Amino acid sequence: MKSDTKLPEPCGIQEDILKKYPSKVARKRSKSIVLNDPKTEQEIQANIRTVPGIITQRGCCYAGCKGVVLGPTRDIINLTHGPIGCGFYSWATRRNQTRPGPDGDNFMPYCFSTDMQDDNIVFGGEKKLREAIQEAYDIFHPKMIGIFATCPVGLIGDDIHAVAREMKEKLGINIFGFSCEGYKGVSQSAGHHIANNQIFKHVVGLDDTVKEGKFKINLLGEYNIGGDAFLIEDLFKRCGLTLISTYSGNSSVDHFANSHTADLNLIMCHRSINYVAKMMEKKFGIPWLKINFIGAEATAKSLRKIAQYFGDKELIKQVEKVIGEEMPAVLEARKDVEPRTRGKLAMIFVGGSRAHHYQYLFSEIGMKTVAAGYEFAHRDDYEGRKVLPQIKVDADSRNIEEVVVEKDPKRYRLRKTEQELDALKKKGMEISKYEGMMSEMEPNSVVIDDISQYETEKLIDKYKPAVFCAGIKEKYTVQKRGIPMKQLHSYDYGGPFAAFKGAINFYREMDRTVNTKVWRMIKAPWENEPEITATFVVE
Amino acid sequence: MLLRHTPVEIKERKSLTVNPAKACQPIGAMYAALGIHGCLPHSHGSQGCCAYHRSTLTRHYKEPIMAATSSFTEGSSVFGGQSNLLQAINNIFTIYNPDIIAVHTTCLSETIGDDVNQICRKAKDDGKVPEGKYVIHTNTPGYVGSHITGFSNMVKSMVKHFSESTGEKKNQINIISGWVEPSDMREIKKLAKNIGVKIVLFPDTSDVLDAPQRGKHSFYPKGGVTIPELKSTGDSKFTLALGRFASEAPAKELEKKCKVRYRVVDIPLGLSATDRFVTACSRAAGVNVPDSITEERGRLVDIITDMQQYFYNKKVALFGDPDHLIALTEFLVDLDMKPIHIISGTSGKQFEKRIRKILECKVPEANVKNGATADMFLLHQWIKNEPVDLLIGNTYGKYIARDEDIPFIRMGFPILDRIGHSYFPTVGYTGGMRILEKILAALMDRQDRDSLEESFELVM
């Protein structure tokens, strides 16, 4: 990120953090804490096991699979096969906003569970699962049912896929399972992968209808938290782009089924879905671009990139027109807010892409990101896709299926020839490329993967940032230290923050966050006074 | 319509739960453990359990919820979680330095059969537990009971690990709080103090989960029952267990272990339950109820006399946890209201029996169900078949309330979309007044909203 002033020296922060850890833990954590120097190629340890007991932000595979990827999809019954907790905690707790589709389906406010009891653990839960599917079908008549495995299901050996096949045959609707037991992988990331693989195998390609539209796109890795996707959808429409599907926000399984007919894939969250783009490229011939709609400048840049990719004069003109319509309000808001935010420090520890994307928004109002890291990302999200060949497959990633895809003889369609793509690349367009977060961060910034509670506290105490961004679990430990905290998973009931209007929301939100009066009222007036000798005592 | 797929017609379900009215055991164990001073709860299982419980508790209490996890991987699920837990215990004491780690199990560690008792012993034998520090544990498989069972199990473990009988009785009684808000625990302590009884309240989350903003995060806030207090419970004269479902098991354990007699009374929510609580306290300690308490009671009764004309025969649907629902149902009946649909996800035969007894004169035909498939989907269907004037329950009720256009009061766990419930008590006479204010406001706001312009009234 561009900046005219330097970040504070991180002098000794790494040693300061590590010295409290037992030596084995210190050795392990030292590789996940990097003092950033964007000029050199720095390696960071990511996507490895969390140290037990360290107090991590991370969740589990099931959370990533059911909660993140399928959760935002309205017209499928997501049935949790397991004891009640997993289904309960993932019930409407992410703010993926959704409008019912034209068919009126919207199961998102519901939680479906087999609520396994101890006798199901002892004698197996397949019978209960079968019955639950039948009951769900009889009451709700859904077009699709997904079954999500929880920890005990894998351990007792319930074959959810066999039950799915049997019930699919019996009921004549699409039913398939996700082996997303909580212990798989090392974070939610494994669950994203399992979810996307299954959608790819069981849904994508089922509907070959070619929709009208000159420029057909899929938006991958946009979850419509607080209505982000609604704003992006509006932009696409005004620019003349036809959105075939969003994975997955305000999304429909019907859209997924048809998504292979798009001309171009746009990746928003690289971490959660880049492999889907790769599979679709190989199987159906759809190229992909990394784009980002967080930040007004980034949004404009992304729209221009899409227009240039298609190379259509009308489209390029229309995109410029839309940007021209949106920017004045953005600049006005920025001008108003910036004097009160300039030079202030931010820290961002969330997700797989947000920690990167939100730095753009901060820099637009003159705030500097002094520390950032991801909760469940991999090395390529930090260092760029160039490190992909170097990443070794370890025991924890080996159990996540890598779907082998081949060219689909019927559905493959070359969108652009090698020569056309080369010509675009020569003009400076980045196709199938992502440089990661670290190269764009300033020297002296601190990058930490899978940050622990202790590391969070150390960072805050050292830098006293103006705002700390993370999730709900961190929210009040930060604020109890007198530092404002903004949730960037759920936006604290706020947002949307994407695209141009979202950027304006964010500027105003940060203005409020870092300047609200309450932080100056923490000390009682008498706390700063010297002790008073009693002259009058109440009996 | 949000719950647009919920049909009026009720089909029997055996295996499918839709919109549950319960959570799982470990979250209750975590909440209970936070009621011990200087305690760090630890979840022995996959990371996700701990993350989900911390998130839900944080959203409800709007306070830091500190807890650690064993972070099981597939490997540990195959070979057992011993090494993860031993590492975790060592790391927690080294980095976060609690006085006590309270371990609870999960579906995962229970299904693979980890012997947590043995692992905790090994941690001590291996010198991973510093002098004067403790590791306690409890078994809380998510496939048995509900969050209330987990709460109860953790409290029982406190007794198992700490309560001691020195042979010399102390001039104090134990009160086992049940799953109530920090503000409720504070109110119970205040009531006991006003009555003049010395008590040990456990667990006690006041000053832990309603800690003040002082500009620094105290990892272990000043509240919580202390270890010496917990030890002393074995020497107390008597135990009052608040709520059969959450508190009887630990009270029974304490009687078994230290011969401290106990009595189960309802959570002191509403007039009659608070009356019984106050009476029980005064009898147990052998003190007269002071006039200040009788005056406080009088204020509550005075408000009821003012309000009851607006409550009379209003139909209410409620869902939540059994101990709360029992006391709340009785209170509503005391107010001449008609609780006609009552749901709790927590199983146990005592629940329906008790509720039916409370309702036998007023609403013998009420729908009452608890346990498996007693879920909010069924409650919604009941409401569609027989509408109500008021809905009371946790945040998830807002979907039904909006769809059916019913006045709605948030009570119970979890409340994810409001702030304040953990600061103002609903127990005791004071809490009763607050409930009354909420009910009347909900009903009158609705009347004001719906009345014709000519019948829109200024005065009551």
Side-chain angles (χ1 to χ4, degrees):
Chain A
M1 307 284 146
K2 290 180 302 197
S3 171
D4 41 11
T5 50
K6 276 190 178 165
L7 285 174
E9 290 284 334
C11 40
I13 180 78
Q14 198 192 26
E15 295 74 30
D16 197 29
I17 288 171
L18 297 174
K19 71 181 179 213
K20 191 157 192 185
Y21 286 151
S23 56
K24 229 173 102 184
V25 176
R27 258 200 315 281
K28 186 169 178 184
R29 288 302 301 155
S30 69
K31 296 179 208 146
S32 292
I33 304 174
V34 173
L35 307 181
N36 191 41
D37 179 0
K39 283 197 206 77
T40 62
E41 297 214 341
Q42 285 173 299
E43 185 179 332
I44 185 164
Q45 174 180 263
N47 193 37
I48 57 132
R49 291 176 191 181
T50 299
V51 175
I54 200 163
I55 308 193
T56 171
Q57 301 180 333
R58 280 178 173 173
C60 67
C61 183
Y62 166 87
C65 184
K66 195 258 177 181
V68 179
V69 175
L70 264 297
T73 303
R74 60 182 167 243
D75 46 358
I76 173 171
I77 281 194
N78 291 322
L79 173 62
T80 300
H81 183 39
I84 202 66
C86 311
F88 179 79
Y89 306 118
S90 58
W91 175 20
T93 44
R94 280 171 56 82
R95 297 185 57 231
N96 322 98
Q97 300 187 354
T98 289
R99 300 188 183 110
D103 57 4
D105 275 359
N106 183 14
F107 294 108
M108 282 184 52
Y110 291 87
C111 162
F112 302 95
S113 169
T114 54
D115 187 10
M116 286 172 91
Q117 300 297 308
D118 45 356
D119 55 334
N120 306 127
I121 302 296
V122 177
F123 303 111
E126 288 181 16
K127 182 166 167 268
K128 191 164 199 191
L129 174 60
R130 217 173 278 127
E131 273 175 5
I133 293 170
Q134 183 70 50
E135 288 171 4
Y137 177 79
D138 292 343
I139 297 170
F140 300 100
H141 315 290
K143 58 184 157 207
M144 212 176 279
I145 298 177
I147 305 159
F148 296 81
T150 57
C151 290
V153 167
L155 299 170
I156 63 172
D158 272 4
D159 188 344
I160 59 164
H161 305 288
V163 174
R165 280 193 299 273
E166 181 194 326
M167 295 307 285
K168 181 179 178 176
E169 180 86 359
K170 182 179 173 194
L171 303 173
I173 58 167
N174 198 357
I175 302 177
F176 54 102
F178 300 84
S179 288
C180 55
E181 289 85 352
Y183 53 77
K184 291 220 170 124
V186 298
S187 71
Q188 297 94 308
S189 175
H192 306 152
H193 207 141
I194 289 167
N196 285 317
N197 280 350
Q198 294 300 82
I199 296 176
F200 192 78
K201 288 198 299 195
H202 293 275
V203 184
V204 175
L206 292 179
D207 174 11
D208 290 324
T209 314
V210 177
K211 296 214 175 88
E212 291 231 358
K214 225 169 145 189
F215 315 107
K216 290 194 282 286
I217 52 172
N218 295 318
L219 180 60
L220 308 187
E222 165 50 54
Y223 301 99
N224 200 24
I225 304 295
D228 278 350
F230 292 147
L231 291 181
I232 301 172
E233 285 171 18
D234 174 63
L235 276 185
F236 287 162
K237 205 168 159 193
R238 284 159 58 202
C239 290
L241 298 161
T242 306
L243 183 65
I244 301 294
S245 73
T246 302
Y247 284 62
S248 12
N250 193 28
S251 45
S252 153
V253 287
D254 292 343
H255 298 169
F256 298 156
N258 185 242
S259 59
H260 62 290
T261 63
D263 302 315
L264 176 66
N265 276 330
L266 306 172
I267 294 195
M268 183 81 174
C269 173
H270 179 260
R271 174 66 273 128
S272 56
I273 205 152
N274 70 81
Y275 35 84
V276 170
K278 254 177 81 183
M279 292 192 286
M280 286 177 96
E281 185 169 27
K282 196 159 179 202
K283 191 167 179 182
F284 306 114
I286 310 174
W288 67 268
L289 302 177
K290 172 78 179 80
I291 47 80
N292 168 31
F293 294 110
I294 300 294
E297 307 296 336
T299 301
K301 196 176 152 195
S302 295
L303 288 175
R304 288 186 175 119
K305 192 171 172 183
I306 298 163
Q308 269 157 18
Y309 170 85
F310 285 113
D312 180 277
K313 280 205 184 101
E314 271 306 302
L315 178 64
I316 292 170
K317 221 172 104 191
Q318 186 59 22
V319 160
E320 289 306 326
K321 185 169 169 263
V322 170
I323 295 171
E325 284 163 5
E326 296 279 348
M327 278 313 273
V330 171
L331 295 175
E332 197 182 325
R334 205 182 283 170
K335 207 173 126 198
D336 171 34
V337 166
E338 200 185 329
R340 293 182 297 278
T341 50
R342 167 154 289 282
K344 294 200 153 103
L345 297 183
M347 293 183 175
I348 318 174
F349 288 91
V350 278
S353 286
R354 287 172 191 267
H356 182 187
H357 293 163
Y358 275 81
Q359 296 186 29
Y360 293 98
L361 268 176
F362 278 120
S363 77
E364 287 177 1
I365 45 172
M367 291 181 68
K368 297 155 78 67
T369 306
V370 65
Y374 298 123
E375 180 178 333
F376 50 75
H378 301 195
R379 274 182 64 196
D380 40 321
D381 305 299
Y382 289 100
E383 302 171 56
R385 291 181 68 86
K386 61 182 180 295
V387 299
L388 281 172
Q390 296 170 38
I391 298 177
K392 290 188 201 87
V393 179
D394 63 9
D396 298 312
S397 20
R398 198 165 295 126
N399 56 24
I400 314 303
E401 183 189 17
E402 278 297 332
V403 180
V404 182
V405 292
E406 280 167 16
K407 218 180 240 191
D408 187 309
K410 191 177 141 206
R411 296 180 180 84
Y412 187 92
R413 180 166 61 82
L414 197 65
R415 270 68 172 184
K416 282 212 192 287
T417 62
E418 285 288 323
Q419 290 83 349
E420 284 170 323
L421 289 175
D422 279 343
L424 282 170
K425 283 178 193 164
K426 277 210 186 90
K427 276 196 235 161
M429 174 162 298
E430 293 188 332
I431 298 169
S432 316
K433 233 176 147 183
Y434 177 50
E435 296 290 355
M437 173 173 84
M438 279 162 71
S439 64
E440 294 204 332
M441 286 181 70
E442 282 187 51
N444 279 346
S445 54
V446 184
V447 183
I448 304 184
D449 182 63
D450 184 21
I451 194 170
S452 72
Q453 171 65 26
Y454 178 71
E455 291 155 15
T456 303
E457 292 171 9
K458 285 300 236 187
L459 273 185
I460 290 176
D461 291 348
K462 181 176 171 66
Y463 289 97
K464 303 263 182 293
V467 61
F468 190 94
C469 305
I472 184 68
K473 298 190 291 298
E474 297 76 44
K475 175 147 187 116
Y476 301 100
T477 81
V478 174
Q479 296 207 154
K480 277 280 195 274
R481 303 179 117 73
I483 306 281
M485 196 282 187
K486 184 70 198 164
Q487 288 187 66
L488 282 190
H489 292 285
S490 80
Y491 306 167
D492 302 272
Y493 245 49
F497 295 140
F500 301 104
K501 291 193 176 65
I504 296 171
N505 287 342
F506 191 79
Y507 303 159
R508 302 226 180 278
E509 177 64 5
M510 276 309 115
D511 186 16
R512 178 201 60 75
T513 304
V514 303
N515 294 311
T516 181
K517 282 197 201 73
V518 70
W519 305 113
R520 298 193 289 276
M521 300 192 285
I522 290 174
K523 280 250 179 281
W526 51 88
E527 282 185 291
N528 296 322
E529 285 172 14
E531 286 276 318
I532 297 171
T533 326
T535 52
F536 170 77
V537 181
V538 180
E539 285 296 320
Chain B
M1 293 288 267
L2 289 157
L3 300 168
R4 51 178 52 216
H5 301 283
T6 304
V8 178
E9 185 209 346
I10 300 171
K11 276 191 185 144
E12 205 208 325
R13 285 173 286 133
K14 282 202 315 223
S15 296
L16 180 70
T17 292
V18 186
N19 301 353
K22 64 170 175 180
C24 66
Q25 279 211 68
I27 195 170
M30 191 180 279
Y31 178 57
L34 289 165
I36 307 175
H37 178 71
C39 178
L40 189 75
H42 180 84
S43 164
H44 186 50
S46 297
Q47 250 145 228
C49 306
C50 187
Y52 274 144
H53 305 146
R54 288 182 63 204
S55 297
T56 308
L57 289 168
T58 307
R59 288 184 177 122
H60 179 90
Y61 292 103
K62 316 286 192 262
E63 287 290 311
I65 303 290
M66 289 296 135
T69 163
S70 292
S71 293
F72 270 58
T73 58
E74 189 151 25
S76 14
S77 309
V78 175
F79 301 112
Q82 169 165 304
S83 129
N84 290 52
L85 184 51
L86 290 175
Q87 276 181 59
I89 289 171
N90 187 39
N91 290 336
I92 290 168
F93 279 125
T94 312
I95 304 166
Y96 297 107
N97 194 29
D99 295 335
I100 163 170
I101 299 173
V103 181
H104 60 261
T105 58
T106 58
C107 299
L108 171 49
S109 51
E110 287 288 337
T111 306
I112 64 172
D114 266 359
D115 184 348
V116 186
N117 184 32
Q118 176 267 323
I119 302 172
C120 292
R121 221 172 33 232
K122 185 170 163 51
K124 202 166 168 64
D125 293 346
D126 292 355
K128 306 279 187 219
V129 184
E131 194 61 35
K133 308 261 176 180
Y134 301 87
V135 178
I136 71 169
H137 62 84
T138 196
N139 294 87
T140 49
Y143 44 81
V144 175
S146 74
H147 56 299
I148 297 299
T149 325
F151 181 93
S152 185
N153 279 335
M154 180 50 87
V155 182
K156 190 172 155 187
S157 286
M158 293 176 199
V159 170
K160 272 193 187 163
H161 283 87
F162 291 117
S163 301
E164 285 173 1
S165 163
T166 61
E168 213 169 300
K169 282 283 175 200
K170 276 194 156 70
N171 215 2
Q172 64 182 29
I173 64 168
N174 303 320
I175 298 183
I176 304 180
S177 57
W179 185 323
V180 292
E181 301 286 340
S183 51
D184 294 327
M185 308 222 186
R186 197 187 298 286
E187 183 67 17
I188 290 166
K189 287 193 287 190
K190 193 195 88 186
L191 264 178
K193 194 177 167 198
N194 290 353
I195 296 169
V197 195
K198 187 166 183 293
I199 63 163
V200 176
L201 180 78
F202 71 100
D204 178 7
T205 55
S206 63
D207 284 320
V208 179
L209 295 181
D210 57 359
Q213 172 61 273
R214 300 288 299 269
K216 59 175 201 266
H217 174 218
S218 144
F219 207 92
Y220 305 104
K222 71 172 183 179
V225 63
T226 63
I227 291 165
E229 282 171 339
L230 271 178
K231 287 185 176 174
S232 79
T233 55
D235 287 334
S236 296
K237 286 193 166 149
F238 195 71
T239 300
L240 274 184
L242 307 188
R244 184 174 301 281
F245 286 79
S247 303
E248 183 167 25
K252 212 177 221 170
E253 179 67 27
L254 189 52
E255 185 178 72
K256 196 176 98 192
K257 188 177 174 190
C258 303
K259 314 252 172 325
V260 181
R261 284 182 306 112
Y262 76 92
R263 186 175 152 203
V264 178
V265 290
D266 293 318
I267 294 176
L269 186 146
L271 183 66
S272 304
T274 306
D275 283 350
R276 288 194 298 274
F277 171 77
V278 169
T279 310
C281 268
S282 86
R283 296 238 170 101
V287 292
N288 287 323
V289 178
D291 209 41
S292 65
I293 299 265
T294 316
E295 291 208 326
E296 203 174 313
R297 181 184 190 277
R299 281 193 288 276
L300 174 63
V301 178
D302 189 68
I303 297 180
I304 298 175
T305 61
D306 298 343
M307 290 183 177
Q308 61 81 29
Q309 60 172 316
Y310 307 104
F311 295 157
Y312 185 73
N313 274 358
K314 288 277 190 291
K315 291 178 180 171
V316 191
L318 36 154
F319 63 96
D321 302 330
D323 294 330
H324 274 97
L325 291 179
I326 288 168
L328 182 60
T329 302
E330 188 183 25
F331 191 35
L332 296 174
V333 170
D334 283 347
L335 301 175
D336 293 323
M337 299 182 90
K338 290 176 79 174
I340 60 165
H341 307 307
I342 303 173
I343 283 278
S344 177
T346 301
S347 47
K349 286 192 187 107
Q350 284 292 331
F351 177 76
E352 196 181 332
K353 222 169 121 186
R354 194 59 214 289
I355 293 276
R356 292 264 175 230
K357 180 98 187 118
I358 294 167
L359 294 177
E360 69 186 348
C361 298
K362 182 84 182 170
V363 214
E365 73 286 3
N367 288 313
V368 184
K369 194 173 176 187
N370 69 313
T373 66
D375 49 30
M376 290 175 62
F377 182 71
L378 177 64
L379 179 74
H380 191 180
Q381 291 186 306
W382 282 347
I383 291 172
K384 279 180 183 289
N385 284 283
E386 187 178 0
V388 290
D389 303 299
L390 182 67
L391 174 67
I392 304 178
N394 68 35
T395 285
Y396 283 99
K398 75 196 257 183
Y399 291 82
I400 297 175
R402 180 173 151 135
D403 277 359
E404 305 301 331
D405 198 19
I406 313 167
F408 173 47
I409 294 174
R410 285 167 181 77
M411 274 181 78
F413 179 86
I415 295 173
L416 308 168
D417 62 340
R418 292 292 184 272
I419 300 170
H421 46 272
S422 51
Y423 292 90
F424 303 103
T426 54
V427 304
Y429 300 118
T430 312
M433 292 183 225
R434 180 159 178 263
I435 297 173
L436 290 177
E437 191 195 9
K438 280 185 161 218
I439 296 178
L440 188 74
L443 295 176
M444 299 315 280
D445 281 351
R446 176 54 53 104
Q447 184 172 320
D448 284 347
R449 192 199 75 179
D450 291 349
S451 65
L452 297 171
E453 283 191 7
E454 57 271 33
S455 51
F456 185 75
E457 308 279 0
L458 179 73
V459 293
M460 221 177 205

